[in-house]
Amino acid sequence: MQNHDIPSDGMQVVSLGSISASTSYGSISPRPLFHSNEGSLSSSASEYTYTRNSSEELQGQYFTERQSLARSFLSAEDYIPLGSLTILSNATVKAGTIWTESMHAPIALPEAHPTFWFLRTLLHAEWIRVYTRVSHNHKNLMTIRVHVLPDDVGRRYLSRGDTKARKALVGLVLSLDRSRESWEGLVSTQSPLQSYDSISNEDDSLFYIFNTLASPSPDPSSITDRYAKDAVKFLLQGSTIVPGLKSKLYHYQQRSAAMMIKREVAPARTLDPRLEILEGPTGIEFFFDREGDRLLREKIEYDEARGGILAETMGYGKTLICLAVILSTKGHLPQVPPEYSLGLRPSRPRVGSLLQMAAATANRERIPWTPVFHNFSSEGDYFERCITALKENACRYLIPEALTRRSRRPSTVSKGQIINPCSATLVIVPSNLVVQWQNEIATHLEEDSLSVLVIDSLSQAIPSATDLMQYDIILIRKDRFECELQTHEGTTNRRKHTSTCKFPYDDHCNSSFTNPYYSPFRDLHFLRLIVDEGHNFVSSGSKGNAVHVLKSLHVDRRWIVSGTPSNGLLGVEVGMAANETSENSCSTDPKEKKTALNARREEVVLSQERKDLEKLGRIVVDFLALQPWVNQKVGDDPASWQKYILPSKNGQRKAKSLRSTLESLVVRHRIEDIEADLQLPPLQNRVVYLEPSFHDKLSLNLFTMVLTANAVTSERVDQDYIFHPSNRRQLDHLVSNLRQSGFYWTGFSAELIEETIKNSRSYLEKDTTTSIDEFECTLLEECIDIGLKALSSPSWKAFSDLHEIGLYVVDFPREAQDTWALQPVQSNCPALIGATQLRSAQQYISAHLSSSTLVQGLATAGVEAMEKAWTNAQSVSAKNTRDQVNMSKKSKIAHVEKNWVPLSSPTFSPQKPRAYLLGPDPAVAKSIKHEIHKTTNSIKPPSGLKSALKRPAFERPACASSDTALSKTKICGTTSVKLSYLLDRVVALHESEKILIFYEADHIAYYIAQALDLIDIPYLIYAKSLTLARRNTYMTTFNTTDNFHVMLMDLRSAAHGLHIACASRVYFVNPVWQPNVEAQAIKRAHRIGQIRSVYAETLVLKDTLEDQMLQRRKAMTSQEHQQAEKSLLDDSTMGAIIKSAAFVPFIDKEFEDVNGQIALLQHPLPVFSRIDAGAPRFDNPDAGLVLSKSSIIKNGQLLEKKRQGHFSPEPELVSAMIRTKPAKRRKSEDVMYQTSDGILMTVPKSGHAKVKKTARFDVDEQHSIDAPFSHAASSSEDS
């Protein structure tokens, strides 16, 4: 309560509604809310009489004749009691029971008062009536009552187009007191104000609202469609079995499927979302449009969407719910639009038979006859005549041709488009999910329960409209659907064909002409459209082709299927998947979920909420075509989603009920309601902190050296400084590679290190008159020391030149170990051998098992292989230096450096070659390329199909004797502690569990694949550079067979609806910056169908920069994560951490003692004997793949069986699996080379600053040879 006393200086405080002002006339005191059930003016105060002051009537001469007419025809009941004002008045007016009407603003109200202008403007427009009276209890208080004329009353008498009056109306509404006490004049100076603006709005975050939407609870009683009502009742009756469905539905899935059908056939009538329901002081409700400046007596209602967004949380069976809906409404027909419903009865030249008339009536009444006859046929009763009659007498309707300006009269020949209603559901999915949908259909549906057409190739033609009507599901990939866009005459991006002009009922027009491609989809009226992962269907700022195609189609019901309709709209349980769990807890703990949800209840991230609502608006307008939003540009009632829903710039929400808006669109269960039916296995997510190895420390310290040397010598100013805004792109590449170095990195060259040392020394030795900070000197001295240590390390120099990852091998045959090692082998120390060289040694042993001089030959082969590798590396390095000089002269990119400190820019100095900070030195590229086709004692690749699978490329000894020298040769460690840890875990778990390993850089996958090849563990690699057909084949193989228990997966491919519930172990080789990306990757495995506990581990080098990055990520708020979503440099704190990165300390023994440099394995792994002696041997490289049922291999070619019984090669799959020779490539500035293991790698030239220069696989699907990762998973023998 507030006590408004009169100040001593005579000035009194005036509080009018929500506006307060200081004036000498009086005060308006706030009062409490009083709810009244009385509904009219006359009944609210029967003792009061309304009169008009005659003196004020004399002042009302400004009323126009039309306004006077309005006052004559509009009674007091036409006006709504809006609210009141109470002021302290010094006027000598006697108290009474009569309310006096004022024709203008009351005398007691000063002109300086904030509401004076509102009252005067509205009185002039005669939109309000004002009455005044002095209070009985307080003689110095005057009450002003305001009645308002709604916009939907008296429009024939008053003009409602006055913009000033509309603004004044909004201001007045928000200024009045709506309490009953104030209205009756029963006031107190200590009563609080109750304005319309004080009605509580939703302050909960959009994330909280989304997670607390009411779970579906469909009521069949509101459904009028008999057949749909029966389907909903059947789903809700408690039976978990739906006829035709092999899988049982959980109760939450039944409710979701039933709610979807109810939304489709009986959309509820909802209040116009632009209106707020307000209640006046007398209890009369009215409707207020705050943004549109309208006040209405009668409400405006619209139908909800015939569809919406199925947003059940990720991994809980959305596909199965959709299949249940399709199966439950099998044979249902769409509703003919009312404007085209005339003329549905067929016109026959003669009276039809009873069978024909009955068939036409059944179709016209939308009777679902398909499942009836399907059940008869399953029992052995076939009604072929009835089915034929029903098909021949299908219902059709005509859309007349639009009238043009030139001819307003209809043509004598009726022209238009005939539309055929069909019961098919058009399912649009991303290209990588076509096979997954096929697998789900095969898994959950009984055979022949639904007829399915799959269109999964860009070159596959669409059948005719008549043929399409025979299917229940038409499954099409999104990019193929976009090809159905009809183009206009003269365009060249679409195919054209010559056709004959045949309008309906016009059989005489046979003029031939060339017209654009006409999609058969346009002649059909589909029952339903489902877009899986549909959050990207209309996600772009401008409308894509898919939206334009959709606008040309006729669809009765529309659904977006996505667990995350927008980045900020996701389940709390999904976000928690990225949280680290303790030993005694898991991410599925309900208490932790509730705590996490409440923690984000009031966290409103304005920028993210705006993005989420914008994407939701595109779904509402462009996909669902929901009124009133769809008529935002045309019609009598324009509505703008941006104007009414999106938050204002100051962060204030305009939409007063986001919850009701979302509930009218979204079908989603709360997580606690789902877990009442289904409990997923526990999810454990932990961070594994590893002590970095010697080479790990050296790689990280070299990055720190470059950053530190640049910062000190550039004095952190101008463009020389790598953190200058103009260098942001190069810095992003550098930081990305810095993160990748946490696994392994060989991108620095000796030349760069030497140049950095030289420049640092020059800076320290510059003119002594310029003082150098002591701390800066210390930093440069540390840089110099790190550089010298790298140059003095023979292993680092070898890795830098050859770009190899090293493995430490014990008991390598003594006669041959020095010839294969990358550095001299010390006594009692293992040999350090590159992965490629060790693979070559395995190949040699496999090819010469019968040789009597096996060990001696191994030594000779090592000498020849290493000499060739080093020679080619040196020659290619020299050539690369010349190319760099030439490119530097021609480069248009200005090279900026200060004091000869190398930047991370990929440009090069003409004097000396620059290091590849953004990629590997290509010194070894050509040598590897030469060795592909000509290697000493190598084995020729087998003819026929080339495998994209990892398989033994050579026959190892079937039973190696334990006393032979080769059987004792084992890998005891690697140069990367993360690789050693992964190998230990894979070896321990791969026989009993399936494993997912997520990576962010292709060269990391290459190194892991090399190691798995060496220890003979089968694996698959799922990468974007693979063709779509091969990715689908890999996913099906991994999910349905036990041939492969390890899959390496690009993290970028992990958030696209993939189902990999067969995997129970998940590893991230580097910490992931975005928590949502990590969570979605984990949810690929932790989802419905998972029967094991899921264990996720993130590998982190302890006390390094990536450790600090992970700690920073945990401390960030959701808003900070959104701001730094694209780059961690967008987070100022993380940028400061990188700027001040410290060196990782070495241990003294690490430089002298080779044993101190090893990242040891827990159990040494054999090199020349098979780990799994029982592993199957594949004579056919593709024998382990699971192909589609219609795919066969004939004469070395994968053939796809067509429906007609003929065979023809499927282009994409054949391209990925069959080609044995490199395809011709167009000339490019990139240096392309292929490793001995068959990896196609790219080293961009120095002039391409925008290209990330890391060892990478080719990403051009159309020009790839055997798909880049195909060879990564195969042996070098296959190369």
Side-chain angles (χ1 to χ4, degrees):
M1 300 292 182
Q2 296 179 359
N3 189 357
H4 299 277
D5 297 328
I6 300 177
S8 58
D9 58 359
M11 299 296 289
Q12 299 174 356
V13 176
V14 175
S15 177
L16 185 59
S18 61
I19 305 173
S20 297
S22 179
T23 176
S24 59
Y25 287 90
S27 167
I28 299 177
S29 302
R31 275 154 300 280
L33 178 62
F34 179 85
H35 295 283
S36 172
N37 295 325
E38 300 175 8
S40 65
L41 259 173
S42 59
S43 63
S44 62
S46 58
E47 70 274 16
Y48 299 144
T49 305
Y50 293 91
T51 64
R52 183 174 302 158
N53 192 312
S54 59
S55 61
E56 292 181 351
E57 286 185 358
L58 297 177
Q59 302 176 15
Q61 297 178 358
Y62 55 82
F63 288 114
T64 63
E65 181 180 350
R66 185 180 181 187
Q67 288 172 325
S68 300
L69 182 65
R71 294 184 66 86
S72 302
F73 284 94
L74 295 176
S75 64
E77 284 73 16
D78 293 323
Y79 289 77
I80 296 176
L82 186 60
S84 59
L85 305 173
T86 301
I87 61 173
L88 287 173
S89 175
N90 294 329
T92 57
V93 181
K94 293 182 180 181
T97 61
I98 299 177
W99 290 89
T100 303
E101 181 177 5
S102 298
M103 293 302 210
H104 59 82
I107 299 175
L109 189 66
E111 293 186 7
H113 196 279
T115 59
F116 181 85
W117 180 82
F118 300 152
L119 292 172
R120 185 180 64 179
T121 303
L122 294 172
L123 282 169
H124 177 77
E126 210 166 0
W127 289 12
I128 63 173
R129 286 190 176 184
V130 176
Y131 302 90
T132 62
R133 195 192 69 174
V134 177
S135 173
H136 287 282
N137 301 332
H138 304 276
K139 304 301 182 181
N140 60 337
L141 295 181
M142 175 178 287
T143 301
I144 303 174
R145 284 184 173 181
V146 178
H147 300 254
V148 64
L149 184 68
D151 275 51
D152 50 353
V153 176
R155 296 186 68 89
R156 63 183 299 181
Y157 307 118
L158 290 175
S159 172
R160 309 310 291 261
D162 191 339
T163 305
K164 291 183 179 180
R166 292 201 172 275
K167 297 297 180 184
L169 176 63
V170 175
L172 182 61
V173 170
L174 301 179
S175 303
L176 295 178
D177 192 322
R178 61 186 177 87
S179 68
R180 181 58 181 265
E181 290 184 354
S182 174
W183 183 261
E184 297 293 351
L186 306 175
V187 294
S188 172
T189 56
Q190 296 182 350
S191 301
L193 172 67
Q194 294 185 21
S195 67
Y196 290 106
D197 200 36
S198 65
I199 298 177
S200 60
N201 299 327
E202 287 180 335
D203 296 327
D204 297 336
S205 66
L206 188 60
F207 175 85
Y208 182 84
I209 295 174
F210 181 75
N211 278 274
T212 55
L213 293 176
S215 296
S217 181
D219 180 14
S221 62
S222 61
I223 302 177
T224 57
D225 186 295
R226 167 188 169 187
Y227 306 102
K229 188 174 185 177
D230 292 341
V232 171
K233 285 183 176 180
F234 184 84
L235 286 170
L236 296 177
Q237 68 182 1
S239 175
T240 58
I241 299 297
V242 176
L245 200 64
K246 292 189 293 185
S247 303
K248 293 184 178 181
L249 294 177
Y250 291 98
H251 293 301
Y252 76 89
Q253 292 176 323
Q254 293 175 326
R255 291 191 297 269
S256 293
M259 177 57 77
M260 290 177 67
I261 298 175
K262 180 182 179 299
R263 290 267 183 96
E264 292 177 342
V265 298
R269 297 281 293 179
T270 59
L271 180 67
D272 189 332
R274 297 168 294 177
L275 302 179
E276 303 173 52
I277 302 177
L278 301 180
E279 185 177 308
T282 62
I284 296 178
E285 285 188 347
F286 59 93
F287 305 91
F288 183 49
D289 181 358
R290 189 180 303 232
E291 298 298 325
D293 306 331
R294 293 185 303 167
L295 191 148
L296 306 175
R297 179 186 292 273
E298 302 295 334
K299 62 182 178 181
I300 300 176
E301 291 183 333
Y302 289 99
D303 285 338
E304 288 184 350
R306 299 174 69 88
I309 303 172
L310 177 61
E312 294 291 7
T313 191
M314 190 181 305
Y316 281 85
K318 293 186 292 294
T319 304
L320 179 56
I321 294 173
C322 293
L323 292 177
V325 171
I326 296 172
L327 198 57
S328 299
T329 57
K330 179 181 179 181
H332 291 210
L333 292 173
Q335 185 176 358
V336 177
E339 59 270 28
Y340 306 129
S341 59
L342 296 179
L344 292 180
R345 297 182 182 273
S347 175
R348 297 186 177 92
R350 63 181 65 180
V351 177
S353 66
L354 183 60
L355 177 62
Q356 290 176 327
M357 290 188 289
T361 303
N363 285 317
R364 190 167 58 252
E365 297 297 327
R366 300 167 50 232
I367 298 175
W369 52 266
T370 305
V372 176
F373 289 100
H374 178 77
N375 294 335
F376 285 149
S377 63
S378 63
E379 297 174 358
D381 296 327
Y382 302 95
F383 298 87
E384 295 182 357
R385 287 187 59 199
C386 294
I387 295 175
T388 302
L390 287 167
K391 291 180 178 179
E392 291 177 351
N393 292 272
C395 177
R396 300 188 297 175
Y397 64 91
L398 177 69
I399 299 180
E401 186 180 22
L403 297 178
T404 61
R405 273 189 169 184
R406 297 194 176 193
S407 176
R408 291 289 181 180
R409 296 181 179 179
S411 174
T412 55
V413 179
S414 177
K415 298 180 179 180
Q417 181 184 9
I418 292 181
I419 303 299
N420 301 276
C422 69
S423 61
T425 296
L426 184 62
V427 181
I428 304 173
V429 300
S431 56
N432 64 320
L433 296 185
V434 175
V435 172
Q436 181 166 309
W437 265 80
Q438 291 179 274
N439 294 336
E440 292 289 305
I441 292 173
T443 301
H444 299 301
L445 298 184
E446 295 178 356
E447 190 174 359
D448 297 331
S449 59
L450 292 176
S451 57
V452 182
L453 172 65
V454 179
I455 304 174
D456 59 349
S457 174
L458 295 177
S459 59
Q460 184 175 349
I462 305 295
S464 65
T466 304
D467 293 336
L468 290 174
M469 293 177 65
Q470 312 306 317
Y471 296 98
D472 298 308
I473 297 178
I474 301 173
L475 182 64
I476 184 172
R477 48 192 278 192
K478 180 186 174 185
D479 50 354
R480 177 63 184 87
F481 177 75
E482 291 175 336
C483 294
E484 295 305 292
L485 179 65
Q486 183 184 17
T487 57
H488 298 285
E489 198 73 33
T491 56
T492 58
N493 61 332
R494 301 292 178 190
R495 60 173 181 252
K496 296 182 180 181
H497 59 89
T498 303
S499 65
T500 303
C501 175
K502 290 185 178 180
F503 289 104
Y505 314 111
D506 186 6
D507 297 331
H508 304 288
C509 180
N510 293 316
S511 59
S512 179
F513 62 97
T514 300
N515 68 330
Y517 169 70
Y518 185 86
S519 173
F521 288 158
R522 300 190 64 200
D523 290 335
L524 298 176
H525 188 161
F526 292 100
L527 175 69
R528 185 183 293 108
L529 171 67
I530 295 177
V531 182
D532 195 10
E533 297 300 323
H535 53 273
N536 292 324
F537 191 81
V538 289
S539 62
S540 58
S542 57
K543 296 178 182 178
N545 287 345
V547 176
H548 289 292
V549 175
L550 179 59
K551 287 184 178 298
S552 66
L553 304 185
H554 307 277
V555 180
D556 197 49
R557 311 162 188 184
R558 308 182 182 198
W559 288 99
I560 290 284
V561 178
S562 176
T564 54
S566 184
N567 292 339
L569 298 179
L570 75 163
V572 63
E573 68 285 346
V574 176
M576 287 185 62
N579 295 345
E580 188 176 0
T581 58
S582 60
E583 296 181 359
N584 300 324
S585 66
C586 61
S587 66
T588 56
D589 188 352
K591 293 182 179 180
E592 292 189 5
K593 291 176 183 175
K594 187 175 181 179
T595 302
L597 183 59
N598 290 331
R600 297 186 60 179
R601 180 169 187 172
E602 298 180 359
E603 183 185 53
V604 179
V605 184
L606 178 61
S607 58
Q608 182 59 38
E609 182 171 309
R610 187 176 184 88
K611 292 179 182 178
D612 295 335
L613 292 176
E614 282 178 350
K615 178 172 284 190
L616 192 64
R618 287 192 288 269
I619 293 175
V620 167
V621 177
D622 295 331
F623 181 80
L624 297 176
L626 183 63
Q627 288 186 329
W629 311 115
V630 73
N631 56 352
Q632 56 182 337
K633 294 182 179 180
V634 296
D636 299 330
D637 189 21
S640 170
W641 180 272
Q642 182 175 4
K643 176 181 178 181
Y644 283 91
I645 301 298
L646 297 189
S648 56
K649 294 182 179 179
N650 61 3
Q652 184 179 2
R653 282 182 178 169
K654 297 178 183 178
K656 297 303 176 183
S657 184
L658 283 178
R659 182 178 297 275
S660 60
T661 301
L662 288 178
E663 285 181 343
S664 66
L665 298 173
V666 176
V667 174
R668 171 186 170 82
H669 276 82
R670 295 185 181 183
I671 187 61
E672 57 266 25
D673 295 330
I674 292 179
E675 291 179 344
D677 299 331
L678 169 66
Q679 281 285 350
L680 289 181
L683 169 62
Q684 298 283 346
N685 187 359
R686 71 187 188 101
V687 177
V688 179
Y689 294 95
L690 303 171
E691 289 290 343
S693 68
F694 168 77
H695 289 90
D696 292 331
K697 295 177 183 178
L698 196 55
S699 296
L700 292 170
N701 284 340
L702 288 177
F703 274 99
T704 305
M705 176 198 70
V706 173
L707 290 172
T708 304
N710 171 267
V712 174
T713 56
S714 67
E715 300 176 357
R716 298 178 177 84
V717 295
D718 300 331
Q719 295 184 2
D720 295 352
Y721 185 33
I722 186 60
F723 285 92
H724 190 272
S726 62
N727 299 324
R728 177 57 187 270
R729 179 178 296 179
Q730 290 79 8
L731 181 60
D732 281 332
H733 291 323
L734 177 61
V735 172
S736 175
N737 290 333
L738 172 59
R739 292 181 57 202
Q740 297 169 24
S741 68
F743 183 85
Y744 193 70
W745 186 257
T746 61
F748 289 98
S749 67
E751 289 80 2
L752 173 66
I753 306 304
E754 292 171 354
E755 188 175 357
T756 303
I757 294 174
K758 175 183 176 182
N759 295 333
S760 299
R761 285 174 173 171
S762 299
Y763 187 82
L764 291 174
E765 297 170 358
K766 69 179 184 178
D767 191 356
T768 56
T769 57
T770 305
S771 61
I772 303 177
D773 185 84
E774 182 178 353
F775 178 71
E776 303 282 280
C777 293
T778 303
L779 289 177
L780 280 184
E781 290 172 356
E782 290 183 359
C783 292
I784 295 172
D785 182 59
I786 292 295
L788 293 175
K789 288 179 178 179
L791 294 175
S792 64
S793 172
S795 59
W796 179 86
K797 293 181 67 176
F799 296 145
S800 175
D801 291 336
L802 299 179
H803 294 285
E804 288 288 345
I805 191 167
L807 297 102
Y808 291 92
V809 182
V810 295
D811 294 329
F812 198 90
R814 185 170 300 178
E815 299 87 344
Q817 65 179 1
D818 288 329
T819 63
W820 288 96
L822 297 179
Q823 64 180 9
V825 182
Q826 301 177 7
S827 60
N828 299 324
C829 291
L832 178 60
I833 303 177
T836 304
Q837 287 71 43
L838 191 58
R839 185 67 167 160
S840 298
Q842 286 181 334
Q843 292 175 340
Y844 178 84
I845 294 298
S846 177
H848 298 81
L849 287 176
S850 59
S851 174
S852 58
T853 58
L854 185 61
V855 175
Q856 293 81 355
L858 181 63
T860 303
V863 171
E864 295 178 355
M866 295 304 296
E867 284 183 353
K868 185 178 293 291
W870 286 107
T871 301
N872 290 336
Q874 293 174 1
S875 62
V876 173
S877 178
K879 182 179 182 300
N880 184 61
T881 301
R882 295 192 298 270
D883 292 342
Q884 291 167 5
V885 172
N886 295 334
M887 287 187 295
S888 180
K889 292 178 180 180
K890 298 178 181 179
S891 176
K892 298 180 181 180
I893 302 177
H895 175 64
V896 181
E897 63 180 5
K898 186 169 185 174
N899 298 322
W900 296 101
V901 176
L903 300 177
S904 67
S905 170
T907 54
F908 292 86
S909 169
Q911 289 80 4
K912 289 188 177 182
R914 283 298 190 87
Y916 278 79
L917 273 186
L918 302 181
D921 191 299
V924 76
K926 195 168 184 178
S927 76
I928 298 176
K929 188 175 181 181
H930 285 317
E931 291 188 25
I932 292 177
H933 301 292
K934 183 179 180 181
T935 304
T936 303
N937 298 321
S938 63
I939 302 175
K940 294 182 179 180
S943 59
L945 290 177
K946 306 194 94 177
S947 176
L949 311 174
K950 190 274 164 193
R951 68 179 186 90
F954 54 90
E955 289 295 333
R956 298 184 181 181
C959 52
S961 177
S962 60
D963 58 350
T964 62
L966 294 178
S967 65
K968 298 180 181 179
T969 304
K970 295 184 178 181
I971 301 171
C972 66
T974 71
T975 53
S976 168
V977 67
K978 291 185 178 181
L979 180 60
S980 296
Y981 182 84
L982 281 176
L983 292 180
D984 283 334
R985 302 307 296 156
V986 169
V987 170
L989 299 170
H990 81 283
E991 292 183 354
S992 59
E993 300 185 56
K994 290 195 175 183
I995 303 168
L996 288 177
I997 301 176
F998 287 104
Y999 63 88
E1000 294 186 71
D1002 291 328
H1003 74 278
I1004 294 178
Y1006 172 48
Y1007 291 137
I1008 298 175
Q1010 278 189 311
L1012 294 177
D1013 276 335
L1014 290 170
I1015 62 176
D1016 198 21
I1017 291 183
Y1019 62 91
L1020 296 169
I1021 300 181
Y1022 191 95
K1024 285 190 173 182
S1025 57
L1026 290 174
T1027 61
L1028 173 64
R1030 186 162 288 277
R1031 291 201 306 269
N1032 292 337
T1033 302
Y1034 283 6
M1035 190 56 61
T1036 303
T1037 302
F1038 189 72
N1039 279 328
T1040 59
T1041 72
D1042 289 329
N1043 294 337
F1044 305 92
H1045 279 212
V1046 180
M1047 174 175 280
L1048 311 182
M1049 177 169 283
D1050 191 335
L1051 186 63
R1052 296 167 295 180
S1053 303
H1056 297 290
L1058 295 176
H1059 179 91
I1060 323 177
C1062 61
S1064 56
R1065 298 282 176 168
V1066 180
Y1067 294 95
F1068 297 93
V1069 297
N1070 293 109
V1072 183
W1073 175 244
Q1074 300 96 338
N1076 288 346
V1077 174
E1078 178 184 343
Q1080 293 194 36
I1082 295 174
K1083 294 301 287 185
R1084 299 303 109 215
H1086 191 247
R1087 58 199 299 115
I1088 192 171
Q1090 179 60 260
I1091 59 176
R1092 295 174 176 265
S1093 297
V1094 177
Y1095 298 90
E1097 294 183 359
T1098 300
L1099 309 186
V1100 177
L1101 298 181
K1102 186 178 180 180
D1103 298 329
T1104 62
L1105 189 61
E1106 67 178 16
D1107 189 357
Q1108 294 176 291
M1109 185 200 81
L1110 185 61
Q1111 300 307 320
R1112 171 56 186 160
R1113 194 197 83 169
K1114 293 179 180 179
M1116 293 171 65
T1117 64
S1118 298
Q1119 184 172 5
E1120 289 173 327
H1121 276 299
Q1122 295 300 331
Q1123 293 173 349
E1125 182 179 9
K1126 294 183 178 179
S1127 171
L1128 52 82
L1129 290 172
D1130 292 332
D1131 178 57
S1132 57
T1133 304
M1134 194 64 229
I1137 292 174
I1138 296 175
K1139 288 180 182 180
S1140 60
F1143 293 101
V1144 182
F1146 288 102
I1147 302 175
D1148 293 338
K1149 295 182 179 180
E1150 287 180 316
F1151 287 95
E1152 295 79 14
D1153 186 8
V1154 174
N1155 291 321
Q1157 301 178 1
I1158 306 174
L1160 291 172
L1161 295 171
Q1162 290 183 352
H1163 304 285
L1165 303 174
V1167 176
F1168 298 115
S1169 61
R1170 190 186 312 165
I1171 293 178
D1172 186 2
R1177 317 307 295 176
F1178 296 136
D1179 294 331
N1180 186 331
D1182 286 323
L1185 287 174
V1186 176
L1187 305 175
S1188 60
K1189 294 181 180 180
S1190 57
S1191 300
I1192 66 168
I1193 297 177
K1194 182 178 180 181
N1195 297 329
Q1197 289 189 342
L1198 182 66
L1199 302 180
E1200 187 72 15
K1201 184 178 179 180
K1202 290 188 175 181
R1203 290 184 176 274
Q1204 293 80 355
H1206 302 290
F1207 296 93
S1208 63
E1210 204 283 327
E1212 291 186 351
L1213 206 55
V1214 171
S1215 173
M1217 294 183 175
I1218 297 176
R1219 276 188 294 180
T1220 58
K1221 294 183 180 181
K1224 291 184 179 180
R1225 295 178 176 271
R1226 53 188 178 186
K1227 294 183 179 180
S1228 171
E1229 295 183 359
D1230 294 346
V1231 179
M1232 307 297 297
Y1233 64 94
Q1234 194 174 26
T1235 67
S1236 59
D1237 279 307
I1239 307 300
L1240 190 64
M1241 307 182 76
T1242 305
V1243 179
K1245 294 189 178 181
S1246 59
H1248 289 181
K1250 65 180 180 179
V1251 180
K1252 182 176 180 181
K1253 297 186 176 180
T1254 54
R1256 57 185 292 274
F1257 302 94
D1258 179 40
V1259 296
D1260 187 355
E1261 292 186 19
Q1262 297 181 2
H1263 297 282
S1264 62
I1265 57 171
D1266 252 5
F1269 274 112
S1270 301
H1271 292 286
S1274 65
S1275 66
S1276 58
E1277 177 185 282
D1278 290 334
S1279 301

